[in-house]
């Protein structure tokens, strides 16, 4: 499957999931309104509590989509600048993941690049990708957040 077809499938899946979530939030909101309009104090309290869930869900969905779009934009720009990490030659485990020693060595190289140029968003982007390849998703998210902030400023 070509990369373009794969990207389209992923975008369609994301779109479907967003529409499904929105339908769920509408149904949840309607159920909350039924409780609230019942006039019974306990039902009103439960309805108000349920009404908070779609609000939080929509906020999370929008924030996740915004972050994903920002990450995709950085990935495209890094690729165009020739700054994307090339991991095609790194040894892999049978599962397809990069071997830990190779990922750690890649991380060390990228970390050294960042220390030499800490205000460059491309270096933070590369660090985020290296953290991801090394399996540290928490630090990868933080480094990507920093890359997005630096690129925006």
């Amino acid at each position: 499957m070509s990369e373009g077809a794969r990207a389209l499938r992923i975008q369609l899946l994301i779109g479907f999931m967003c529409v499904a979530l929105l339908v769920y939030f509408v149904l949840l909101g309607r159920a909350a309104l039924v409780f609230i309009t019942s006039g019974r104090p306990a039902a009103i309290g439960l309805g108000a509590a349920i009404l908070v869930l779609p609000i939080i869900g929509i906020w999370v969905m929008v924030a996740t989509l915004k972050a994903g779009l920002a990450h995709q934009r950085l990935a495209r720009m890094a690729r165009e600048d020739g700054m994307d990490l090339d991991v095609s030659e790194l040894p892999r485990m049978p599962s397809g993941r990069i071997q830990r020693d190779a990922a750690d060595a890649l991380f060390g190289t990228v970390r050294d690049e960042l220390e030499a140029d800490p205000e460059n968003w491309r270096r933070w982007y590369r660090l985020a990708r290296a953290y991801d390849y090394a399996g540290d998703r928490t630090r990868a998210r933080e480094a990507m957040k920093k890359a997005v902030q630096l690129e925006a400023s």
Side-chain angles (χ1 to χ4, degrees):
M1 177 183 303
S2 73
E3 188 170 325
R6 183 174 179 271
L8 179 61
R9 282 184 58 187
I10 290 171
Q11 289 171 352
L12 288 173
L13 180 60
I14 290 169
F16 172 76
M17 293 301 293
C18 287
V19 168
L21 274 172
L22 288 174
V23 168
Y24 174 71
F25 295 150
V26 166
L27 294 174
L28 199 56
R30 286 179 55 192
L33 290 177
V34 167
F35 280 117
I36 291 170
T37 59
S38 73
R40 295 188 313 265
I44 292 170
L46 183 58
I50 291 173
L51 194 57
V52 170
L53 296 176
I55 294 168
I56 293 171
I58 288 170
W59 175 77
V60 168
M61 185 177 72
V62 169
T64 301
L65 287 172
K66 283 177 61 176
L69 291 172
H71 299 171
Q72 288 297 322
R73 186 181 79 252
L74 293 189
R76 180 183 39 78
M77 290 173 19
R79 196 172 33 255
E80 289 170 357
D81 293 345
M83 294 293 290
D84 205 11
L85 288 179
D86 180 15
V87 295
S88 60
E89 300 298 320
L90 295 180
R92 298 187 180 263
M93 295 184 284
S95 66
R97 290 187 55 95
I98 296 171
Q99 289 181 1
R100 181 69 181 197
D101 292 343
D104 288 344
L106 174 68
F107 174 78
T109 301
V110 172
R111 186 189 59 227
D112 292 344
E113 292 173 0
L114 174 68
E115 289 173 0
D117 192 10
E119 296 304 313
N120 187 334
W121 71 263
R122 291 166 188 85
R123 301 296 181 197
W124 282 96
Y125 170 80
R126 289 169 59 88
L127 183 71
R129 299 294 294 150
Y131 271 130
D132 187 48
Y133 289 129
D136 191 341
R137 303 288 188 268
T138 302
R139 288 192 176 123
R141 281 189 295 275
E142 291 302 316
M144 189 64 78
K145 190 183 301 184
K146 177 75 172 178
V148 169
Q149 290 170 349
L150 285 172
E151 192 278 327
S153 60

